[in-house]
Amino acid sequence: MRLIHCIPVVLASCCGVRAVDEQNGFGEQIIFDDDVAFNERAGNVKQVAIVGAGAGGASTAYHLSQYATAANIPINISIFERNSYVGGRTTTVNAWDDPTKPVELGGSIFVKVNKILNYAVETFNLSTRQESSAGVPGAALAVWDGQEFVFVQEGNYGWWDTAKLLWKYGTAPIRTMRLMRTVVGKFLEMYDAPVFPFESLTEVAHDLGLLAVTAATGEQYLAENDITGAFVKDIISASTRVNYATNVRYIHGLEAMVCMAAEDAHAVHGGNWQMFDRMIEASNAKLYLDNAVTGIHPPAESGSLTVDTQSTDSDDPIHGGTFDEVVIATPLQFANLRGDFDIDEIPYVQLHVTLLTSPHLLSPAFFNLSSEKPVPKIILTVLPSDEEPKDGPDGVGSPGFFSISLLDPAVNPETNGQEYIYKIFSSEPPNSKFLSGMLGFQQPEGDSDDDISEKDISWMFRKLWDSYPYEFPRVTFEKIKLGDGLWYTSGMDSFISTMETNALMGKNVARLIVDEWVGKRQASLQL
Ligand SMILES: Cc1cc2nc3c(=O)[nH]c(=O)nc-3n(C[C@H](O)[C@H](O)[C@H](O)COP(=O)(O)OP(=O)(O)OC[C@H]3O[C@@H](n4cnc5c(N)ncnc54)[C@H](O)[C@@H]3O)c2cc1C
Ligand SMILES: *[C@@H]1O[C@H](CO)[C@@H](O)[C@H](O)[C@H]1NC(C)=O
Ligand SMILES: *[C@@H]1O[C@H](CO)[C@@H](O)[C@H](O)[C@H]1NC(C)=O
Ligand SMILES: *[C@@H]1O[C@H](CO)[C@@H](O)[C@H](O)[C@H]1NC(C)=O
């Protein structure tokens, strides 16, 4: 049973980055002036610690190993992950706790041309899936404003080809697509020399002309490009809400454009986390799960950093120690790390993700439809036209949720009955009143999940994520190099927060580190 799915297939993917140069994957040729004899003389194995085994940390490890090998520098990578699993914000849980039915709980989709992820799929022989809930009645996707559907797309075909879209919104969709392609084209320059590797996100954004895009809100940036009106309100805002829990009035222009780059959305069969798991495996890094890094101390005289770790398992020996380089691949504000890092705390979205299984289809009455009318399978939301958009957690507004998706039909392994797997994104946990309304069953007496009959909801999983920043407009981004031997990938989160971009930042840091080693080696050889 293929169960991973996510949010809107056609509209809501993230980071539809189209590769400019397809043949140049991530193992591009690096020509280093290497000197094997040097390493032998020094007996110098570079010790690297990575904090976090998500997209950023896994990509750092993989690319460090590739670049160091190419430069003939012996390397020993240790990855510390406080969770018991690899993937971080990209992870699955199993419907009915059945391991054959994994469902994405975090990062769900990417596009075929996301260079690093797609290359990982190929290199590690993973398979992908695209289709959703085919065969289940109802339109593929719709936008609900809390009172009515302002847009309905019947079929599962490409978003931009929809004649209806053009008929309803005139040339705005085409102009938005053109603008998106220009912006994404600039972003893609970050993958290749001379822009790659970049030492500062702020500078690279400036050099590529992207600061003007991040400085404006999505709404402002679109208006500057003569895109206003119903298309922005109905469609672009639905997309920024499902992807980043933010109305288009408050999210920055770059992230709004990324939300519209949705061609060829897909996911790894069995779970996207496998890409990161395979990267770590291929890097030969030592992976310490259930090991939190609790502190990083400034360079001792030797020039190395001390890393303190704590395992959840008291029998597990301490794996921390001293390292030449430490890469922090997680948002520092949630890392619970002692140290002086000079990274600003920024507001992150607290997103409630609810996965559940039920034999019921969505209730037409809940969506003000007549009882014989099937409800669309993916429901995005926008605010009604008379409602002022707010920012922060109040941004969800009167519709009360960001999205409801019927992901897949599936057979309940206990009853053998036909059921459906749903995913809800909201800023409050959906209560039994909401759930019974949404699925059209009798509201239970009590408020607790246990009061809901298994006949109505047979399995439910609730997760509160610090999912991504609120992505407010900004013109400076966090540093990449925090000090000697100390690196940070998660500044990427407030620029573009996706699996691909965090993997790109990991690759970038890997290249900066190895370039620095090579530079030092050359300098020392010239002495
Ligand atoms: C609900 C949801 C939906 C999303 N949808 C999409 C989508 O469709 N497409 C997409 O591309 N992106 C999506 N994203 C965003 C994407 O998941 C993230 O941008 C990406 O996974 C972040 O990767 P990361 O490695 O930077 O951080 P993380 O995945 O957060 O990894 C950081 C890791 O560091 C660990 N850690 C933290 N502190 C410590 C410590 N002190 N010691 C040891 N380990 C530590 C954490 O446990 C974690 O595993 C979504 C996110 C969420 C939450
Ligand atoms: C590699 O790092 C580990 C810590 O994770 C350490 O125990 C080991 O001695 C190191 N090995 C080499 C060859 O440097
Ligand atoms: C790749 O996967 C397919 C099935 O998914 C398998 O048949 C094949 O042997 C795999 N190839 C490699 C090189 O692992
Ligand atoms: C349902 O739709 C009717 C018109 O179709 C409208 O008058 C009514 O206000 C709607 N009800 C709700 C709860 O939105």
Side-chain angles (χ1 to χ4, degrees), residues 116-132:
I116 297 175
L117 301 185
N118 199 45
Y119 191 90
V121 165
E122 271 174 43
T123 305
F124 304 126
N125 198 22
L126 299 167
S127 57
T128 58
R129 59 158 299 184
Q130 254 161 335
E131 272 313 286
S132 69

Side-chain angles (χ1 to χ4, degrees), residues 144 146-148 368:
W144 168 251
Q147 289 159 19
E148 59 175 348
N368 204 5

Side-chain angles (χ1 to χ4, degrees), residues 148 292 374 394 425 466:
E148 59 175 348
D394 294 335
F425 283 180
D466 292 307

Side-chain angles (χ1 to χ4, degrees), residues 21 149 321 378 451 489:
D21 175 6
F149 287 107
I378 291 172
D451 296 316
T489 65

Side-chain angles (χ1 to χ4, degrees), residues 6-7 12-15 51-57 80-83 85-90 105-110 114 117 243-244 276 291-294 329-331 334-337 351 353 425 465-468 489-490 493 497-502:
C6 71
I7 36 191
S13 90
C14 270
C15 211
V51 185
F80 300 102
E81 169 53 62
R82 70 178 169 197
N83 288 334
Y85 63 89
V86 164
R89 278 173 279 167
T90 303
L105 185 63
S108 303
I109 43 180
F110 54 102
N114 275 169
L117 301 185
N243 281 306
Y244 292 106
F276 309 125
N291 270 268
V293 172
T294 54
T330 188
F334 305 118
N336 212 359
L337 261 177
L351 186 72
V353 176
F425 283 180
W465 287 109
D466 292 307
S467 48
Y468 20 68
T489 65
S490 292
D493 254 5
S497 181
T498 61
M499 298 183 282
E500 171 74 13
T501 49
N502 279 305

Side-chain angles (χ1 to χ4, degrees), residues 413-431:
E414 261 179 37
T415 63
N416 282 322
Q418 176 68 64
E419 299 199 5
Y420 305 97
I421 302 176
Y422 293 94
K423 179 185 280 189
I424 304 167
F425 283 180
S426 53
S427 52
E428 293 291 330
N431 58 21

